[in-house]
Amino acid sequence: MIWPLLFTLQAVCASMSHAMQHYPAAWGHYDVCKSQIYTEEGLAWDYMACQPEATDMTKYLRVALDPPNITCGDPPETYCALENPYMCNNECDATTKELAHPPELMFDFEGRNPTTFWQSSSWKKYPKPLQVNLTLSWNKTIELTDDIVLTFESGRPEQMVLEKSLDYGRTWTPYQFYATDCLDAFTMEPKTANDLTQRTLLDIICTEDYSRGYVWKNDKTVRFEIKDRFALFAGPRLHNMASLYGQLDTTKNLRDFFTITDLRIKLLKPATGATMVDENNLSRYFYAISDIKVQGRCKCNLHANSCVFDKGKLGCECEHNTTGPDCSRCKRHYHGRAWSVGSYLPIPKGTANICKYISISYIAPNAQLVTVEVPRVCDNAMLRCQNGGSCHHHQRCHCSPGFTGVLCERARCQGPGECDDQLSGRASFHHPPISRQLALTLVVLPVSVVLPNAAHVLLSSPLTRTNRIPFLFRRLCNHA
């Protein structure tokens, strides 16, 4: 009887150990933006920092080549193997599907046999340099979460630069240099990612690890090591993510280092396999790339947990009353405090830093200053559109015929008398408990409105009960 119990305990322990081992990795998810909780005042939202899941970002990019006619096959050309100049049976012909090697084959499904790849024309204009720029553009800010990996079907280039842009290709900065001889090619001392420290993580290095094309012909990959840089703060297995998130929260340069809108691969010199170029057989020298991996997520400033690809563009589905492609500004009427990026800390929920309603401040009968929020949006949970109205983009209710108001909460006035009554304060506010108190107070007391720039608009006493409320909301809307 004891053996089944022991086996059960062993299985439970193994499962718990496995879960504990992988728990830190789950810290990076932040996949929920808000949840409903019960408070003393009733049902309310609990907001959390959130971000989309990491994914293969090559599904959403555009690729551009410079020069644009550098792809092989026009005219058709025969290529020789680098390691055997007499093996010349590789043909490239752009007019034949089976023999063409267009750029999109760098991003198709890997695992096919034979391998698919993009290929450049050969070095037939030697000694003029054979140089190619491959530009990958997302038209969206993205955050890198794993190594950038290039797989070459030919020998790896002897000289190459990986560059990044943060402004949609207007300006470029180097990410890393690659060469068989860093001193000769770029006058830089050779280093590896393992040589970096927390203090030098942002340094641009030249590495010789990925440029030995002929001797190491079985290793075809070139990497830019993202996770090795993460590990400088999070530890070798990325178990201390709190340390990394703390650095990303407080160090803008570090956050920007892993953020891009575009990547550019500058191929400067193909693999030659020797100290001298064989000018009698230049068809041995070319570039060929079978796969490019870029793992990352849309940058949503921790205000969205999903990103959609619609009409050829990526965009965050913003929460926390934010808007924009990167959720980088507050929605209209939500400028009660300045927009701010969310925070990863404290783990595991972070801090949402939501945009808040614009507030109205007024003096209560007991002479105390009271501030109330003016809700201007709707949703399908807490602020439902009433009387058959529908919520449009969380910004306004589309009301059924015969009803009006922010939440369609009152009947549309049918005649001048009713409209005058509503403007006089009896039905002009959207939330009755607050509106009755405000309406009574506004009869005899000055009112101040807290506007987005923190200014107060003081409504002077000559305003009558009839015109005070419309004036207040006109001023508020003009500033929102």
Side-chain angles (χ1 to χ4, degrees), residues 441-463:
T441 305
L442 291 171
V443 176
V444 293
L445 294 172
V447 173
S448 64
V449 179
V450 181
L451 296 172
N453 58 3
H456 282 66
V457 178
L458 186 65
L459 305 186
S460 55
S461 54
L463 289 169

Side-chain angles (χ1 to χ4, degrees), residues 291-303:
D291 188 47
I292 297 178
K293 293 190 184 304
V294 181
Q295 194 81 1
R297 62 169 58 92
C298 290
K299 179 182 179 181
C300 301
N301 289 297
L302 296 179
H303 291 310

Side-chain angles (χ1 to χ4, degrees), residues 67 286 321 384 455 477:
F286 55 90
N321 307 321
R384 297 177 184 274
C477 294

Side-chain angles (χ1 to χ4, degrees), residues 77-224:
E77 193 174 354
T78 301
Y79 293 81
C80 301
L82 180 62
E83 60 272 17
N84 186 348
Y86 303 104
M87 187 183 295
C88 302
N89 56 359
N90 296 318
E91 187 179 355
C92 181
D93 185 349
T95 62
T96 305
K97 183 178 180 180
E98 292 77 13
L99 300 177
H101 298 285
E104 53 265 29
L105 295 183
M106 292 185 283
F107 312 105
D108 63 346
F109 172 72
E110 286 301 292
R112 296 180 183 177
N113 192 14
T115 305
T116 58
F117 53 91
W118 165 80
Q119 185 170 321
S120 74
S121 55
S122 65
W123 203 356
K124 49 183 175 283
K125 294 184 179 179
Y126 179 86
K128 182 181 178 181
L130 179 61
Q131 298 182 347
V132 183
N133 287 345
L134 298 172
T135 303
L136 315 181
S137 302
W138 283 270
N139 197 27
K140 169 78 179 75
T141 311
I142 67 171
E143 298 168 330
L144 300 174
T145 59
D146 207 338
D147 296 356
I148 299 170
V149 184
L150 283 63
T151 304
F152 284 82
E153 187 64 20
S154 62
R156 296 180 294 189
E158 294 185 2
Q159 294 178 16
M160 186 186 104
V161 183
L162 181 65
E163 296 179 322
K164 60 167 285 189
S165 176
L166 253 177
D167 54 11
Y168 305 95
R170 286 187 286 274
T171 61
W172 296 89
T173 56
Y175 244 162
Q176 193 153 289
F177 294 85
Y178 303 82
T180 52
D181 188 334
C182 286
L183 275 173
D184 179 62
F186 302 114
T187 63
M188 299 172 68
E189 290 285 345
K191 292 184 178 180
T192 68
N194 293 330
D195 296 323
L196 297 171
T197 65
Q198 289 185 2
R199 188 179 297 274
T200 63
L201 184 149
L202 303 182
D203 286 359
I204 309 304
I205 66 171
C206 178
T207 181
E208 298 176 354
D209 279 1
Y210 302 107
S211 304
R212 302 181 186 96
Y214 180 67
V215 178
W216 301 98
K217 65 180 185 299
N218 292 325
D219 191 352
K220 299 180 176 182
T221 61
V222 173
R223 289 179 174 268
F224 178 68

